[in-house]
Amino acid sequence: MNGSNAPADVSAHHGALLPLLASNQEVIDFFAGVADLDAANPADHQLEGGVRLATGARLEQFARAGSGDAFCFVGEGGEERPVVYISLDGEAGPLALGLPELVRLCLVAPWWRDAPGRTAQELQAVADEYRQDMPDLDGLRDRAARALGLDPAGLPSEAAALDRLLELSQGPVAAACLVVGYEGDPLDPLFASTPS
């Protein structure tokens, strides 16, 4: 499969992924039911008061996890904006540079929240547990991908998606997406560097 086709497939939906996350049942079944990203009820998407970006840029919640954690766009624009995750446990950090990248992460590694500090072997155990609990996980993923106009064969590997997540959690993207709480203190990073 030609890997260059994957981004083209995603960009064909530029500006149109969020409505599909909220209205297509196969997409909702996977994202809300498996990846814990619910964009179906925008009225439920309210950030806790005082939570903001350190830069002063706009922070717009567009989805939530079952726990109440928030998925937010950074700055002005459309679905190409960076996406940060803000947990009610006081952690936050960038997940993707745009909704298309977040969609790919959730499709191939819906257990991404379990990635911090885990070895490849431990992550494989998490992935295996997901598949054991949900025998049709790959089928659900493939149906959701197709409903979004994506070729499942063109999705990144789990390892590549998680490597990208860790790359974004450090450096300039993390600095630009620093979230502070109502007292003005930075929230803890989602993916802190492990001590040597």
Side-chain angles (χ1 to χ4, degrees):
M1 174 52 73
N2 182 348
S4 65
N5 288 339
D9 291 343
V10 173
S11 65
H13 285 286
H14 178 72
L17 287 172
L18 194 52
L20 289 172
L21 289 174
S23 64
N24 182 289
Q25 195 57 53
E26 288 180 326
V27 174
I28 291 169
D29 288 348
F30 182 86
F31 281 86
V34 178
D36 199 18
L37 185 157
D38 184 357
N41 190 355
D44 287 346
H45 307 156
Q46 301 296 321
L47 279 174
E48 185 177 321
V51 173
R52 64 193 188 287
L53 287 169
T55 62
R58 182 175 180 211
L59 193 59
E60 177 189 350
Q61 185 174 352
F62 65 89
R64 63 186 282 279
S67 63
D69 295 352
F71 292 86
C72 302
F73 287 124
V74 172
E76 301 295 332
E79 294 180 357
E80 78 285 354
R81 292 178 283 171
V83 175
V84 297
Y85 185 82
I86 303 170
S87 84
L88 295 177
D89 294 330
E91 298 176 329
L95 296 183
L97 293 181
L99 189 56
E101 187 173 44
L102 177 65
V103 161
R104 291 190 301 268
L105 169 66
C106 290
L107 284 168
V108 299
W111 49 85
W112 63 264
R113 285 173 201 80
D114 294 325
R118 291 187 185 261
T119 65
Q121 185 177 7
E122 290 169 329
L123 283 173
Q124 187 58 56
V126 172
D128 292 345
E129 187 176 318
Y130 253 73
R131 286 192 170 85
Q132 193 172 37
D133 291 344
M134 216 172 291
D136 191 29
L137 178 63
D138 293 337
L140 288 168
R141 178 203 59 219
D142 291 354
R143 287 188 293 278
R146 286 189 193 97
L148 291 167
L150 301 172
D151 178 356
L155 293 172
S157 69
E158 294 169 11
L162 293 171
D163 285 348
R164 174 68 172 155
L165 183 61
L166 294 175
E167 174 190 328
L168 291 173
S169 72
Q170 303 163 4
V173 173
C177 295
L178 182 65
V179 178
V180 296
Y182 66 93
E183 293 181 356
D185 295 325
L187 299 185
D188 293 332
L190 282 176
F191 300 96
S193 299
T194 52
S196 302

